[in-house]
Amino acid sequence: PQPGKGCCTDLYWGVFIMPNMLWIWTLALYTLHKGKFDCSGGRVLHSYLVVLLVLLAFIILSLCAIVYVSAQGTITNPGPRRSIPVLVYVRAMLYIPELIWAILGAIWVSDDSRGCEPAEVGAVIAAVVASWILLLSTGVGVLFVFDPLGSRLPGPPSQEQLGVRDLESSEGSQLLSTARSVAVRVWESRLRLLCCCLPQDESHRAAFSSIAQLVSGFFSDTDLVPSDIAVGLALLHQEQDKKEQCRDPDEVLPHSPSSPIDLEAELEKAAHCMQFAIAAYGWPMYVYSNPLTGACKLSGDCCKTQSAEYDIVGGDNMGCHFSSILHSTGLQYRDFIYVSFHNQIYEIPFFVALDHKREAVLVAIRGTLSLRDLLTDLSADCENLPVEGVSGTCYAHKGMSQAAGYIYKKLLNDGILNQAFTIAPEYKLVITGHSLGGGTASLLAILLRSSFPTLQCYAFSPPGGLMSKALAEYSKDFVVSVVLGKDLVPRLSYPNMEDLKRRILKMVSNCNKPKYRILLQGCWYELFGGDPDDFPTEMDRREEELSQPLLGEETLLIRGSSSYQSLASEDSPVHCAHLPLYLPGRILHITEDGPSSCFSQVRYRAEWSSETAFRSVLISPRMIADHMPDAVLRSLHSMTQDRPFNLCPSSLSNSHLNVI
């Protein structure tokens, strides 16, 4: 069980179909053009196809052997898979003749194809290009998934070496420190390669280093390959569904806001603000939300000659972003005070507009839409965020705290808010955003609260690992977080991910079925539903054995892991070096109430919830779909405009004061 070879095995599973397709394609080319290479270099081109067919046949045989052997045994019983390293090395050795033949093919096509028929030359060129695509895709895949820390340690470790005491010795500590630094450098190199299109300046290098430390620390105590994680997620989903089926459907959770609030009025305000939050994404989200008419509506506006006053909008060369904002919000050009599409790491686009319908100066912040935004998301270290008048420790997500600070300085130092309130002094300040924009909007509201005591913030699908407990409690007076269904992002935090890792380890350790069978049944369950299987909870080992490493016991980094030590108890606390972070403000949770008997459309249920309901990740096919801004807007419109619950009441109890 070596991580590097295990990940490469998963990669070969993934690219197994590509050599087969190339072999079939080459065979078809050879059959169609056999006997037609009668030009001067035709014999060479003919020989290239023949040798390529033979070489691909050996590659396919080696991949078949890898696929067959890797499917043997169970996750925690790697004995039947002991020959995998040899097969992986055999496949790796075949890269040498494959690379040489691809180079020769490129040379021969360029030098010896003169005078040949274009059809025959095109056939060989297609085979050469396909060979290079196969080589490069597999090489890049190995570069990203291979773990240099997964090599077998020299000599079999003794029983005492498997203990934590070995790590506490000076030699063990030095070895562990060296291994961690190597892991950080590996992840940092991968990030640089993935983000090669971005400038490699000081801010980006600092972000790469911070993200690499976070990711390497999270994966340092596990010896799971991607397919193992997929198995654990499939089993965990079925276990969660079984618990959901056993819960009393008439149970109403007694969640309530910190002060009496009209829930229906909050839904109306949230639905209105969500239109601005989704508009901040610009033309990509507008076209996505209006696939039939969006592109046609924007095409004319984008091609119009821009007037001089349009310079207020920076970074939108074609004008499509601003045109989509006008269409989405229904505002006029004169209603916008400031619009910025400037996008760098920790600097995200936003706009400030006058919302005459609600009499508000509205600040809308864009969510994740670029690679720079993703780096801001992944900069998840804690950063101090001192706020005057807040008792307790104040800290927040580093990336979003930096982004909030950037917008805060723009709004105040550039006089943007001063200009807005000069035009409409009686208006109130409202801040909104979705996802990354929602988290940034919440932190920005906290920073502006002392200057604008009446401000309100509506954060849609904000990340769970956002702010400290003290800041979360402080923000409940002016921040409302809206979460739809089983959205993954509001449940994302370092402790939650550690808990998910612990549960995955427990699931794969408790199951003694072959991996391929679990994956096939899991795919069937995800696609077609049905009753959850009972095999995820099968046990054939003593409970106390779960406190020892189950996978790759010879891998240094998993010894003494807190994740493994906490497997013995479902309620064991998860220890991690990162401080706990919470969702902002009061949490408005929207869930599906099942299809109505009077309408075919989905009905929704809204209730005030607490942060305890988001302390674990829920596995579901909708965990990503529920995060999409158009899905959030659709659910809010369903409850505020369509109102199916008033026309056809739900069978669930609606007598609770804080439930719609």
Side-chain angles (χ1 to χ4, degrees), residues 186-249:
V186 168
W187 280 103
E188 198 168 342
S189 300
R190 290 173 177 173
L191 287 172
R192 286 201 187 98
L193 185 60
L194 282 172
C195 307
C196 58
C197 57
L198 298 181
Q200 303 295 316
D201 54 18
E202 187 63 32
S203 61
H204 286 83
R205 284 195 295 269
F208 293 155
S209 178
S210 175
I211 296 170
Q213 291 179 9
L214 179 72
V215 176
S216 63
F218 181 77
F219 290 109
S220 64
D221 60 350
T222 59
D223 197 11
L224 299 178
V225 296
S227 59
D228 296 335
I229 298 175
V231 166
L233 292 175
L235 299 180
L236 184 57
H237 182 205
Q238 295 179 62
E239 183 189 65
Q240 291 177 347
D241 284 355
K242 283 194 294 186
K243 291 182 178 179
E244 184 73 18
Q245 292 175 2
C246 295
R247 197 175 67 178
D248 185 3

Side-chain angles (χ1 to χ4, degrees), residues 139-150:
V140 171
V142 170
L143 182 64
F144 280 110
V145 305
F146 184 76
D147 186 359
L149 305 180

Side-chain angles (χ1 to χ4, degrees), residues 343-393:
N343 190 202
Q344 291 293 336
I345 186 170
Y346 307 144
E347 299 175 2
I348 54 182
F350 69 99
F351 67 82
V352 181
L354 299 179
D355 179 14
H356 302 294
K357 182 178 181 180
R358 296 283 178 171
E359 295 187 344
V361 174
L362 197 140
V363 180
I365 305 174
R366 196 188 77 181
T368 304
L369 197 63
S370 68
L371 187 57
R372 295 179 177 87
D373 297 335
L374 185 60
L375 293 176
T376 303
D377 284 319
L378 293 176
S379 299
D381 286 343
C382 295
E383 182 176 81
N384 289 329
L385 188 68
V387 177
E388 187 176 350
V390 179
S391 58
T393 308

